[in-house]
Structure formats: C-alpha cells, structure tokens
Amino acid sequence: MTITTPPHFVLFPFMSQGHTIPILHLSRMLSDRHVSVTVITNSATKSALFKNNFISVINIPFPDPPALQTNDKSPCMASFINYIKSTKQLQPEFEQLVRTLPPVTCIISDGFLIWTQDSADKLGIPRLVFSGMNMFSSTMFNIMDNFNQHGEVRSINDPFPVPGFPRIKLTASHLEIGFKDDDPKSEGSDFVLRYQEATDRSYGMVVNSFYELEHEFNDYWNQNFVPKAWLVGPFCVAQPHAPMVEKPSWVHWLDKKLEAKEPVLYVSFGTQAEASEKELLEVADGLEMSNISFIWVVKPKELTFISVGFRERVKGRGLLVGEWVDQVEILNHEAVSGFLSHCGWNSVLESLCAGVGILAMPLVAEQHLNAVMVVDEIGVGLRLWPRNMTTRGVVDSKEVAKMVVELMEGDSGKRVKKKVKEVKESAHCAMKEGGSSWQSLEMLIDNVYGVM
Ligand code: UDP
Ligand code: UDP
C-alpha cells in the first residue's frame, strides 16, 4: 500500500485521571510513529500533561465523575453509572466535531463512553476501545459473567475456581463491577450488557499491558472472546524521563532518606476512590507502629481525617503530602522500595516499571482483581487482608504494621523484590524497538490504516 497522508487518530478518554493519563501517553506513542493525533479532553485532565505540542487538544467541558466511596459501595456505584450514562449528552457535539476534523483513520475511546461505538458506526470509522483494564481482569469479568448467568455462584464471599483457570479462586465480590446480579433489569446488569455489546462491535481493544506479563490471558481472550486485544504497553515508559527543574519539597525529603539509608514506603490510594475514615485511621496507626519511613499522598478530604497528633508523632519518619505529585518520579526515586497501593492499574504498572514491590490494599472496582494478579499471578506484591478476609472488610492497623515490615524487610518481601526487578526488565524490553508491545502497535496502526 502506498501511504500518502499520515493516519489521523482521535483519542477520547473517560473523564478521570486514571483513564486520561494513559491516553496521553498513548498519544505520544502514536505521534512518535508519525500518526497525527487529536485528543478530546475535559476538566479531569491535568494541564501539566500538555506541555508537549505534539498533539492537538480539543476541550469539551464536562463535569468530573463522582468519587467512589469505599464504605458504601452500592449507592455510589449507581451514581457512577448514572454519570457514565450522562456522557451520552456529548454525542451530537462529538460527531459534529469529528466531521470537521481532517479525515479520521480511527477513534480510540474509553469503554465507558459506550455511545461512541454508535458514533463510529455512523461515521464509518473503526473504533478501538480503551478500558484501562489489563487482560487478566477483562478475561475474569467475561468468564464470570457467562458463568453467573447459569446461577452457579451463590454467596458473595464463597471462593470458587474460575472455569478455564482452576488454580484461580475468586469470589463474587471480586467482580463487583463486571458481575451481573440476579436481576437482569438492574442498572448494573443493563450497564454491563451495553458495555459488552458495544465493545464486541468495536474493531479491537487497546490494552495498557504487555504480552510477556499476561500472555496466558491475552491468548485465552483472543481465542474465546471478541474484539481482538492489542497489548501495546506499559504506556508509562513511553514518556522520556525529564529531570525536574524545580524540585518540590518531597524530593528533598526523599533525597535525605536516601542519604540516611532509610528505605521509604510510598503510600497512595489513587485519585478516584475515597477511603473511609476508619480505613485511613487503621492505615495511619499501622504506619506509625511499623517504624518504617513513608511518604503518604492523601486527597484533601482524606487529610481532614488524619490528626495533628499523628503528624507530630511520625515527624521525621513519615511525610504527608496533600497535593498532586509526580507519582512516577516518586516510584523511581532510589529511596523508595515499596508501595502500599490501592492497585489501580496505572499505579501497578508504574510500580512494576520502577521495580518497586507492592503491598496490595484494593478498595473498589477491578482493583480487587488487580490485587489477585499482582500477588498470586505475577508475584510482585503481598496482600493486605481485611480482618474478615473478604474484599469488603476493613484492614487492621496491626496487620498493616506487620505487612509493611514484611514487604520492606521480610523474606517474602525479598522474593517480591527479586521478581519485580525481572518484571521491570521485561516491561522495558516490550516497549523497545522490536519488543512485543512495539511490534503490536506497529501492526495495529497498519491494520486500521488498511481498513480506511
Ligand atoms: N499481540 C497482541 N495481541 C494479539 C496478537 C499479538 O498483543 O492478539 C502482540 C503480542 O505482544 C505478540 C506480538 O503482537 O508478541 C506478535 O504477535 P503475533 O503472534 O501476531 O506474531 P508472531 O509471534 O507470530 O511473530
Ligand atoms: N497520580 C499522580 N499523582 C498523584 C496521584 C495520582 O501522578 O498525586 C497518577 C498515578 O501516577 C496514576 C494515576 O494518577 O497514573 C492514577 O491511576 P490509577 O489507575 O493508579 O488509579 P485511579 O486513580 O484510577 O484509581
């Protein structure tokens, strides 16, 4: 085929940091391959990420999604689904916009923006879905949705082996987002059905992961489900590391810890889920008891739960940061050697790419599945279990202290550190020229260009 004009991709992320940041990295990867890229943004996108002018950015204002509360999940899920549905208001504006742009080769839009599949069909443009999930979670959701339709899962916390993967034991509560409940007319069931139906009709899935990490699930998916999955990550290593011009105070703090040879645990629960006061206080007490140095990034609301007394008591050893930080910079700082994480998929990948082992404390959504993957499947983390050993309980401060010490100094922590170094190596290899993700992206661009 003779290529005359470069391909033009329109990228439309969902309105949250965790879904927008990877899309911005992907736009750089495409642009590096001479694809012209237009990204549609909204207020959830950090302007700092647009310092580069390699992409065109079009802003369609839309409010941010509601926070996911961890202590009252069901009503919160309903309001989240309502928010997702409300994005459909953008459909006429989106279609009008795409018509006015230079010819579009492909639309990559978030799985939550279900209606963009109808737009793509109407406009005759192939659409790729970006779900923000890995192959493990996508595969588990699809297998279990089919399984549950036969009514074989009874109690929410009863472990059962996953059909096709008998070594993996899950409970229904692991699958709270993708799991259709008994009522096929419920909001949740209807949402999952429409999400899957639109994804099935799409041209393919772009996945922020790499083949070597989860080839078994990638192969299973491509043999059993549609659309075809393309593993082209981890996106977080696409951005060349730029040394910070002005170092924020937390970098100086980490530098001092490195000098003093005091390894630091990084603690963060992501941007979307708000941990309950009880959960945060147990974590705070556990960190205090552990005697390990830590840097804890908290959201403004969470900061109000943490007492002045706590800050005084951990002064010098623990640093609380109540503002947006460069998480990748923290994870790559030599002083940091562990990550207490909610297991959002971006955080997991950023940790793996920095060679930092994880203490998994999942809160909502597919974070529970990511924790299973991190701990049981890849072996790059330890699990922080709640008192009642279910996905919905609250962790105990003593357990926090014990597991923090285990990750940072214990034997299982040493095993994790060894494994995560291997995974880091293979993640970087996948993204290098000729690596699996590099090849996959080349093939993907060629494929969609051929469809035009
Ligand atoms: N690949 C992928 N999804 C697929 C098929 C392939 O992500 O459905 C990626 C995968 O990373 C693999 C690379 O593309 O390493 C090459 O795959 P393929 O099997 O098509 O090529 P071959 O291994 O036969 O050269
Ligand atoms: N992040 C960041 N600085 C912060 C908080 C978060 O850079 O202060 C980034 C983090 O590096 C990751 C994303 O925000 O890329 C969060 O995505 P993730 O999937 O881990 O979790 P979510 O926020 O979607 O639950």
Side-chain angles (χ1 to χ4, degrees):
M1 182 172 49
T2 322
I3 295 179
T4 45
T5 50
H8 174 207
F9 282 37
V10 169
L11 273 56
F12 193 174
F14 180 67
M15 297 74 181
S16 74
Q17 299 290 353
H19 287 237
T20 304
I21 294 169
I23 285 290
L24 293 175
H25 290 313
L26 180 62
S27 57
R28 166 177 280 276
M29 290 157 61
L30 289 165
S31 154
D32 285 348
R33 285 171 174 77
H34 310 293
V35 171
S36 116
V37 180
T38 302
V39 180
I40 297 179
T41 66
N42 40 70
S43 58
T45 310
K46 276 266 168 270
S47 55
L49 289 157
F50 286 113
K51 277 187 202 131
N52 303 296
N53 55 1
F54 56 91
I55 42 174
S56 342
V57 178
I58 296 172
N59 191 57
I60 306 189
F62 204 71
D64 292 355
L68 293 166
Q69 320 278 281
T70 59
N71 52 353
D72 191 15
K73 292 170 184 173
S74 306
C76 164
M77 223 53 238
S79 64
F80 195 69
I81 290 172
N82 278 334
Y83 174 85
I84 291 170
K85 278 188 179 167
S86 72
T87 63
K88 194 169 166 25
Q89 295 163 37
L90 295 173
Q91 185 168 358
E93 197 177 341
F94 172 68
E95 289 171 10
Q96 182 53 27
L97 180 73
V98 173
R99 283 195 187 96
T100 60
L101 293 172
V104 176
T105 319
C106 175
I107 294 168
I108 302 184
S109 59
D110 198 282
F112 284 152
L113 305 172
I114 296 171
W115 50 269
T116 53
Q117 185 57 46
D118 296 332
S119 302
D121 290 344
K122 207 189 278 179
L123 297 160
I125 301 170
R127 172 199 178 214
L128 291 160
V129 176
F130 174 75
S131 76
M133 289 196 289
N134 50 52
M135 287 322 296
F136 174 76
S137 300
S138 302
T139 305
M140 291 301 123
F141 278 144
N142 265 26
I143 294 178
M144 295 318 301
D145 275 341
N146 294 337
F147 188 54
N148 192 40
Q149 271 169 356
H150 303 116
E152 289 172 59
V153 178
R154 285 184 179 82
S155 157
I156 191 106
N157 287 318
D158 272 352
F160 51 84
V162 175
F165 296 95
R167 69 165 190 280
I168 302 173
K169 302 232 175 1
L170 296 180
T171 66
S173 66
H174 276 104
L175 303 150
E176 62 184 334
I177 271 195
F179 215 65
K180 287 182 210 138
D181 46 35
D182 291 340
D183 176 7
K185 291 198 190 72
S186 76
E187 290 269 344
S189 299
D190 178 61
F191 167 71
V192 171
L193 269 177
R194 287 187 311 111
Y195 181 103
Q196 284 177 345
E197 185 273 333
T199 304
D200 287 0
R201 277 195 287 134
S202 73
Y203 186 80
M205 279 190 333
V206 186
V207 185
N208 187 7
S209 188
F210 56 107
Y211 188 72
E212 292 76 6
L213 188 70
E214 42 176 355
H215 51 90
E216 196 184 354
F217 302 104
N218 180 51
D219 293 346
Y220 186 94
W221 178 280
N222 282 335
Q223 278 156 23
N224 294 280
F225 303 123
V226 288
K228 183 177 156 77
W230 302 84
L231 275 62
V232 299
F235 302 170
C236 60
V237 300
Q239 187 91 19
H241 184 261
M244 288 184 142
V245 187
E246 262 175 61
K247 285 186 179 184
S249 58
W250 49 262
V251 177
H252 294 296
W253 188 86
L254 287 172
D255 289 345
K256 284 206 188 99
K257 286 281 162 194
L258 182 64
E259 255 172 55
K261 296 198 171 57
E262 288 170 13
V264 175
L265 176 80
Y266 168 51
V267 185
S268 167
F269 301 117
T271 62
Q272 238 184 323
E274 271 174 5
S276 67
E277 179 170 3
K278 191 157 179 35
E279 282 166 320
L280 289 171
L281 293 180
E282 295 286 346
V283 169
D285 285 349
L287 290 172
E288 188 178 341
M289 276 188 260
S290 74
N291 265 324
I292 299 282
S293 294
F294 63 89
I295 174 169
W296 185 3
V297 175
V298 275
K299 290 183 268 299
K301 185 172 168 198
E302 294 172 345
L303 202 56
T304 61
F305 298 143
I306 297 165
S307 71
V308 178
F310 169 78
R311 290 193 219 188
E312 283 300 317
R313 290 193 300 276
V314 298
K315 208 170 180 178
R317 178 163 64 83
L319 182 68
L320 274 174
V321 182
E323 63 193 44
W324 185 261
V325 294
D326 184 339
Q327 175 165 302
V328 172
E329 184 79 23
I330 293 188
L331 286 166
N332 282 287
H333 195 286
E334 271 184 83
V336 173
S337 68
F339 183 10
L340 170 50
S341 171
H342 72 309
C343 292
W345 186 236
N346 297 298
S347 291
V348 169
L349 282 176
E350 288 159 7
S351 204
L352 301 188
C353 291
V356 172
I358 294 170
L359 182 54
M361 188 179 137
L363 298 173
V364 291
E366 99 282 8
Q367 294 159 15
H368 297 292
L369 287 171
N370 293 343
V372 173
M373 188 187 175
V374 162
V375 178
D376 303 333
E377 293 296 312
I378 327 177
V380 289
L382 305 178
R383 177 66 207 249
L384 193 50
W385 279 108
R387 264 171 229 145
N388 60 3
M389 294 295 283
T390 75
T391 58
R392 286 162 200 236
V394 174
V395 293
D396 185 280
S397 57
K398 289 198 190 79
E399 182 70 6
V400 174
K402 186 179 113 198
M403 294 311 291
V404 164
V405 173
E406 189 55 36
L407 180 76
M408 300 296 280
E409 297 172 350
D411 286 341
S412 36
K414 287 195 182 89
R415 275 196 297 279
V416 160
K417 286 195 176 87
K418 186 168 176 286
K419 182 70 192 172
V420 78
K421 298 281 181 276
E422 289 166 26
V423 174
K424 173 185 176 181
E425 188 69 20
S426 102
H428 286 265
C429 281
M431 289 291 280
K432 278 193 195 128
E433 188 166 342
S436 64
S437 293
W438 187 91
Q439 281 185 40
S440 228
L441 188 57
E442 292 284 300
M443 284 193 287
L444 177 59
I445 296 168
D446 282 357
N447 267 251
V448 282
Y449 205 62
V451 172
M452 265 190 105

